[in-house]
Amino acid sequence: MSRRIEIVEVGPRDGLQNEKTLLEVGDKLEMIRRLEAAGARRMEVVSFVNPKRVPQMAGAEEIMAALPHKEGRSRIGLVLNLRGWERCVEAGCDEANVVVCASDGFGIRNQGASVEEQVATLAHIMGVRRKEEPPVTLTVSVAFGCPFDGEVPEDRVIEIVKAAADMRVAEIALADTIGVADPWTVRRRVEAAKKAAGHIPLRLHFHDTRNTGLANAFAGVEAGVDILDASVGGLGGCPFAPNATGNIGTEDLVYMLERAGFETGYDLSQLIDIAHWASEKLGKPPASSLARAGTFPIARPAAGP
Amino acid sequence: MSRRIEIVEVGPRDGLQNEKTLLEVGDKLEMIRRLEAAGARRMEVVSFVNPKRVPQMAGAEEIMAALPHKEGRSRIGLVLNLRGWERCVEAGCDEANVVVCASDGFGIRNQGASVEEQVATLAHIMGVRRKEEPPVTLTVSVAFGCPFDGEVPEDRVIEIVKAAADMRVAEIALADTIGVADPWTVRRRVEAAKKAAGHIPLRLHFHDTRNTGLANAFAGVEAGVDILDASVGGLGGCPFAPNATGNIGTEDLVYMLERAGFETGYDLSQLIDIAHWASEKLGKPPASSLARAGTFPIARPAAGP
């Protein structure tokens, strides 16, 4: 077994976005460079949201200016609207990741737009996009449940996937933004999304809020998805569950996959070091399990009890 | 889908065994009674080890004397040797759970006996057991990796399963004692164990040390196992990874299973209450995710951001 799973590192964006402590641009750049050295090929490095609304994401243009384009690496910018798309193009991102929520309740509160309006924005971006401009990927957020509307029906999610597939986006992700999915539902939705997406690759984005993150990742990989988001150190809280943990930790996912024989291209011990570094910068213990427990098999046997 | 999964509550035994803070017998009894009220039908309530070696497990006889036999409930005692078996019979347990390690390194350090010697002890117990005495279940510990010997080969685990099946034990569990398993390996070992065990039911025991606990539970349930151990509040540390978490949390497992449509017979909100109660008694935050994040769907929608 040597199937390769691509892990998109989202720590610098989704990981930091919900942290109370703001990181300086210099620290963010150090984090990004260390993650590159640890094996991250695709990384969500910035978000083109209004820094007055999300101060954690300030400095997007400055960060992009300090990160040269490199062959085989992709610097991804998060985009919620047309203004974000224009900034993303101007900043020279390698990819734009456009978000469309699967529930009106979340869309209106989080992005000031209904699902229909967000799909229209995606269509508009795909319409104006010139071929030298960044490829557009789609992330369907709250695809497994919404903190305002509750359950999100599968049909609703698949309608958005179909619409995006018709627009020929480069990749489609289902995101469990608030960490409520179970692996059986993940399997069913992935199967439905695969049918709707045709040849467009799928990606999955899980939060570990209710401890189901790695189970959901396993279910997704078993259902044929080869691309997963994760965040070093399990960074990223959840504004709807203030004491809960965030994204699935990159090092936890790498451990699970590589222990089973998959290739990820990441260096586990470097990831654990970055998790501890970020944890010190943010003044809180790392949320990932690998950063606390270490890997296995243990290189040098522990002493007897 | 309304398949029933039986969750054996091991919080009062495995959960407390590695905690630094000792609980009084009265507190343990309160915990056991609250867990019963929350839906636990089978519960590992005591361990017949030497209380000088494991002070957390002192008071086994006192606890059993205070817990009357009830129809449809099972009070399980952990047994490591003949002396433990005799105490278990005398104390009137409804089941004896005998542990056999799958590695000599762990067996000799933890139980002062090689694998072969432990299998011989199990055979001896099965030989002297009279039919009115407690049914004997087997837990194969370190079945996915050992902190001393490293990797534990599948063949070694299956040999023990076969030997126990020949002795007609009542149930056979594979335990990931130090939390190193991945779900692909779980699936393979469960399939092999099913063949070796014949009609004897299988049980799985996972620790969440490296965040793979629920993924492993999902893999086990998908491979056909209907019985899983879990510990309220995710109690139970790991002496080999001092900062790591313990058993998979009962409330996390109940959440994952019931969200997917399985029946467990547990009341999630009572479990969360017990997790917080135990957390206060032990002076540390609950390790389970549900105790921190709460359940979903949320009964009353959260206020806007």
Side-chain angles (χ1 to χ4, degrees):
Chain A
M1 188 161 42
S2 63
R3 179 174 157 202
R4 191 175 179 93
I5 302 293
E6 180 176 67
I7 302 176
V8 179
E9 172 61 48
V10 300
R13 202 283 301 170
D14 203 15
L16 296 180
Q17 182 175 299
N18 290 312
E19 293 296 339
K20 280 172 204 150
T21 307
L22 302 191
L23 283 201
E24 301 291 327
V25 166
D27 286 334
K28 288 185 190 171
L29 284 168
E30 183 175 348
M31 183 176 169
I32 293 164
R33 287 179 183 130
R34 291 179 71 150
L35 284 163
E36 254 191 31
R41 292 287 174 279
R42 289 175 73 194
M43 202 183 326
E44 212 167 80
V45 290
V46 290
S47 176
F48 296 104
V49 289
N50 185 343
K52 284 183 191 142
R53 278 203 63 196
V54 190
Q56 290 93 335
M57 293 293 101
E61 280 77 4
E62 207 182 327
I63 289 167
M64 280 303 299
L67 295 173
H69 169 77
K70 285 181 197 162
E71 201 51 42
R73 310 261 179 175
S74 182
R75 303 155 303 162
I76 307 169
L78 193 84
V79 165
L80 300 184
N81 50 37
L82 277 177
R83 177 79 193 104
W85 163 250
E86 288 158 3
R87 286 175 64 199
C88 185
V89 173
E90 205 154 322
C93 284
D94 301 308
E95 289 176 62
N97 182 27
V98 177
V99 176
V100 169
C101 302
S103 83
D104 285 325
F106 199 83
I108 287 162
R109 283 175 183 81
N110 199 55
Q111 287 158 239
S114 68
V115 174
E116 207 183 336
E117 288 166 333
Q118 291 174 68
V119 172
T121 298
L122 176 66
H124 188 109
I125 291 170
M126 292 303 289
V128 299
R129 177 185 168 273
R130 286 176 292 181
K131 71 170 191 288
E132 68 275 16
E133 288 175 347
V136 170
T137 65
L138 166 69
T139 293
V140 184
S141 72
V142 293
F144 297 90
C146 166
F148 308 111
D149 296 356
E151 298 294 359
V152 172
E154 183 178 296
D155 289 355
R156 198 75 206 267
V157 175
I158 299 306
E159 269 171 37
I160 301 169
V161 171
K162 271 189 190 137
D166 288 344
M167 298 176 206
R168 314 249 168 168
V169 298
E171 178 187 83
I172 298 170
L174 304 187
D176 185 19
T177 309
I178 58 165
V180 296
D182 70 81
W184 288 271
T185 305
V186 168
R187 183 165 63 197
R188 280 196 306 274
R189 293 199 176 191
V190 164
E191 281 164 4
K194 275 173 85 170
K195 278 183 202 151
H199 293 295
I200 298 171
L202 294 184
R203 177 169 46 87
L204 292 168
H205 175 106
F206 294 121
H207 282 239
D208 210 17
T209 321
R210 286 167 186 83
N211 208 0
T212 57
L214 287 196
N216 295 336
F218 169 62
V221 169
E222 283 298 283
V225 177
D226 295 310
I227 316 168
L228 289 158
D229 288 352
S231 169
V232 69
L235 288 176
C238 179
F240 309 102
N243 300 315
T245 48
N247 290 266
I248 54 172
T250 311
E251 56 274 30
D252 290 1
L253 183 58
V254 167
Y255 170 81
M256 180 176 84
L257 291 169
E258 298 215 332
R259 184 139 175 75
F262 293 87
E263 280 175 25
T264 67
Y266 279 87
D267 181 304
L268 193 50
S269 67
Q270 283 189 58
L271 286 173
I272 291 174
D273 286 347
I274 302 168
H276 285 293
W277 172 89
S279 158
E280 266 181 46
K281 290 279 171 194
L282 296 165
K284 62 173 214 180
S288 78
S289 293
L290 264 285
R292 281 174 284 148
T295 190
F296 182 85
I298 299 144
R300 209 152 47 101
Chain B
M1 186 161 42
S2 63
R3 179 176 157 200
R4 192 177 177 93
I5 302 293
E6 181 176 67
I7 301 176
V8 179
E9 172 61 47
V10 300
R13 203 282 301 169
D14 203 17
L16 296 180
Q17 183 175 298
N18 290 312
E19 293 295 339
K20 280 173 205 150
T21 307
L22 301 192
L23 283 200
E24 301 291 325
V25 165
D27 286 333
K28 287 186 191 172
L29 284 168
E30 183 175 349
M31 184 176 168
I32 291 164
R33 286 178 184 132
R34 291 180 72 151
L35 284 163
E36 253 190 33
R41 292 288 175 281
R42 288 176 72 195
M43 201 181 330
E44 212 167 80
V45 290
V46 291
S47 175
F48 296 104
V49 289
N50 185 342
K52 282 183 193 142
R53 278 203 64 194
V54 191
Q56 290 93 337
M57 293 292 101
E61 279 77 4
E62 205 181 330
I63 290 168
M64 281 303 300
L67 295 173
H69 169 77
K70 285 180 196 162
E71 201 49 43
R73 310 260 179 177
S74 182
R75 304 154 303 162
I76 308 169
L78 194 83
V79 165
L80 299 185
N81 48 38
L82 277 178
R83 176 79 193 105
W85 164 251
E86 287 158 5
R87 286 174 65 198
C88 185
V89 172
E90 203 155 322
C93 283
D94 302 306
E95 289 176 63
N97 182 27
V98 177
V99 176
V100 169
C101 303
S103 81
D104 285 324
F106 199 83
I108 287 162
R109 283 176 182 81
N110 199 56
Q111 284 158 240
S114 68
V115 174
E116 206 182 336
E117 288 166 333
Q118 292 174 68
V119 172
T121 298
L122 177 65
H124 189 108
I125 291 170
M126 293 303 290
V128 299
R129 177 184 168 273
R130 285 176 293 183
K131 70 171 191 288
E132 69 275 17
E133 287 174 348
V136 170
T137 65
L138 166 70
T139 292
V140 183
S141 72
V142 293
F144 297 90
C146 166
F148 308 110
D149 295 356
E151 297 295 359
V152 172
E154 185 177 296
D155 288 354
R156 196 79 208 262
V157 176
I158 300 307
E159 268 170 38
I160 302 169
V161 171
K162 271 188 192 140
D166 287 345
M167 298 175 206
R168 315 249 169 169
V169 298
E171 178 187 84
I172 297 170
L174 304 187
D176 184 18
T177 309
I178 58 166
V180 296
D182 69 82
W184 287 270
T185 304
V186 167
R187 186 166 59 197
R188 280 196 307 274
R189 295 200 174 190
V190 164
E191 283 163 3
K194 275 173 85 171
K195 278 182 203 153
H199 292 298
I200 297 171
L202 293 184
R203 176 169 46 88
L204 292 167
H205 175 105
F206 293 120
H207 282 238
D208 210 16
T209 322
R210 286 166 186 83
N211 207 0
T212 57
L214 287 195
N216 294 338
F218 169 62
V221 169
E222 284 298 282
V225 178
D226 295 311
I227 315 169
L228 288 158
D229 287 353
S231 168
V232 70
L235 287 176
C238 179
F240 309 102
N243 300 314
T245 48
N247 290 267
I248 55 173
T250 312
E251 57 274 29
D252 290 1
L253 183 58
V254 166
Y255 171 80
M256 179 176 84
L257 291 170
E258 298 215 333
R259 183 137 176 77
F262 294 87
E263 278 176 27
T264 67
Y266 279 87
D267 181 304
L268 193 50
S269 68
Q270 282 188 59
L271 287 173
I272 292 174
D273 287 348
I274 302 168
H276 285 292
W277 173 88
S279 157
E280 266 182 47
K281 290 278 171 196
L282 296 165
K284 61 174 217 180
S288 78
S289 293
L290 263 286
R292 281 174 284 149
T295 190
F296 181 85
I298 300 144
R300 208 152 47 103

